[in-house]
Amino acid sequence: MQEAIILVGGKGTRLRPLTNHTPKPLLEVAGSSFIRHQVAKLMDAGVEHVVFATSYLAALFEEEFRDFTQDLEISYAVEEVPLGTGGAIRNAGRLLRAGADAPVLVLNGDILSGVDLRAVLRRHEDREADVTLHLTRVPDPRAFGLVPTDEAGRVLSFLEKPKTPQECVTDQINAGCYVFRRSVLDAVPGDREVSVEQETFPRLVARGGRVFGHTTDDYWRDLGTPLAFVHGSADLVTGRATSPLVGPPAEALIHPTAEVHPTARVTGGSTVGARAVIGPRVVVDRSIIGAGVTLAEGALIHESVVDHDSAIGSGSVLREAVVGCHARVGAENELPAQLRLACGIDIPARGVRLSGTAAACPTIH
Ligand code: GDD
Ligand code: MG
């Protein structure tokens, strides 16, 4: 029986305020919670038992899968206190049933990837590896774990989040998908917080363990930042990235109960949630519009997330913004890029502008 662990205990701080009430893997991308896309991919690869390593808002995972009826067994390894990525893998390992030499797939809970999981498993078996890491190349590796390998694919070192330019010895990074020999995973210390990236991998390599990389140039994205999150969702809709849960490539994914005015344009792989109302001449490009959101006439929403039950006033402009739930942005606001608006915030009409005329001064001088 092929088994897998998904690490889903992180707080998702870089995606706040979306993650205030919802763990990152339960946020919706392209019409389904992200973890459902991962589960579908694991099932396609023949996985029959998955363990969710949960901590932050753990109960919500059990709620999400309460009515799950497909042919996959789901177990929950809940950490009262976060155990770190290594501690989480070991803790989840207690619920596995495979033998000591069996290969166990481990996924970070925020990786959207086109890698062929069966190929990673095959590579692991061929090399008789202790651990096999899926590796990818990125233009700027500083936010990731650097993993140089030799010609045979053997991992030479593991350096998590390099601090200096000298430490950036490669653009090849840990893609957050591993195969562990079960006995190796069981040997992670269980009595304290352990980082698999900062402790387990460097130690295994230093001890001469059989740690191999499987490098591919498949589609790959870590959805942990707002811009990556909206791009990942849009890529699933437009077909640049694929998931068993997403239909044929489309310009947008609009919930059947949403109302989109005929003069509005929803493009670039945007999604529009249930009961949302998109007014005349609104432009929504490469964005995620949550359930019950209202976008008034002429609003422009670009590479942004507007969480459920928020309202954006007429003529307002959002770029690379994250708007928490139940927020109100009045008419003709022009928000600077990369703003995050707290849940429930209320910005009056013409309250924020980058150009043109601000509202008249309400006090008498
Ligand atoms: N259960 C549990 N417990 N899960 C955790 C914990 C914990 O204490 N800490 C983090 N996680 C989970 C997160 O929920 C996420 O799914 C995964 O572990 C990785 O954490 P991130 O916070 O997303 O890490 P990162 O993106 O900075 O870096 C990691 O991913 C990169 C690839 O995207 C590292 O593995 C890097 O080496 C890697 O390059
Ligand atoms: Mg991440």
Side-chain angles (χ1 to χ4, degrees), residues 51-217:
V51 183
F52 296 153
T54 62
S55 175
Y56 178 62
L57 299 174
L60 298 185
F61 289 89
E62 296 191 42
E63 214 168 276
E64 169 86 8
F65 286 93
R66 185 161 295 141
D67 302 325
F68 190 78
T69 52
Q70 292 172 49
D71 211 6
L72 173 78
E73 192 185 337
I74 300 178
S75 307
Y76 301 88
V78 184
E79 299 153 42
E80 296 306 329
V81 182
L83 294 172
T85 45
I89 293 171
R90 177 175 187 286
N91 187 53
R94 293 179 301 122
L95 301 179
L96 299 171
R97 286 194 288 277
D101 274 332
V104 180
L105 266 166
V106 179
L107 297 183
N108 282 353
D110 58 355
I111 298 304
L112 178 59
S113 160
V115 72
D116 177 352
L117 294 174
R118 289 182 196 267
V120 190
L121 283 161
R122 271 198 305 276
R123 173 68 60 99
H124 180 81
E125 303 271 290
D126 290 349
R127 299 283 159 93
E128 297 181 347
D130 292 325
V131 178
T132 303
L133 293 89
H134 174 222
L135 306 177
T136 187
R137 293 197 177 84
V138 291
D140 181 1
R142 285 174 298 176
F144 302 103
L146 300 197
V147 191
T149 47
D150 69 13
E151 317 78 67
R154 195 149 183 162
V155 172
L156 298 170
S157 62
F158 192 108
L159 182 68
E160 182 68 9
K161 315 238 161 77
K163 303 274 180 301
T164 63
Q166 292 74 26
E167 286 179 326
C168 289
V169 291
T170 176
D171 60 353
Q172 186 171 264
I173 61 141
N174 168 25
C177 162
Y178 324 116
V179 184
F180 271 79
R181 184 196 297 278
R182 178 167 181 188
S183 57
V184 173
L185 158 170
D186 286 340
V188 173
D191 53 347
R192 59 185 166 86
E193 195 180 325
V194 178
S195 159
V196 79
E197 297 89 353
Q198 287 172 30
E199 186 173 334
T200 313
F201 291 147
R203 284 193 186 170
L204 266 172
V205 172
R207 277 209 325 258
R210 294 184 63 77
V211 183
F212 285 89
H214 177 69
T215 308
T216 72
D217 55 9

Side-chain angles (χ1 to χ4, degrees), residues 228-298:
F229 185 71
V230 290
H231 288 174
S233 180
D235 288 346
L236 279 167
V237 174
T238 57
R240 266 193 76 205
T242 55
S243 161
L245 302 186
V246 179
E251 193 57 23
L253 198 64
I254 296 169
H255 195 277
T257 60
E259 277 176 46
V260 179
H261 193 274
T263 58
R265 283 191 295 132
V266 184
T267 60
S270 297
T271 58
V272 177
R275 296 170 282 99
V277 179
I278 314 290
R281 286 176 293 285
V282 166
V283 176
V284 177
D285 182 44
R286 258 190 144 188
S287 295
I288 301 174
I289 306 301
V293 165
T294 308
L295 305 179
E297 177 163 4

Side-chain angles (χ1 to χ4, degrees), residues 14 24 108-111 143-144 161 220-225:
R14 287 169 293 176
K24 177 165 58 174
N108 282 353
D110 58 355
I111 298 304
F144 302 103
K161 315 238 161 77
W220 184 86
R221 216 189 269 282
D222 174 329
L223 303 191
T225 63

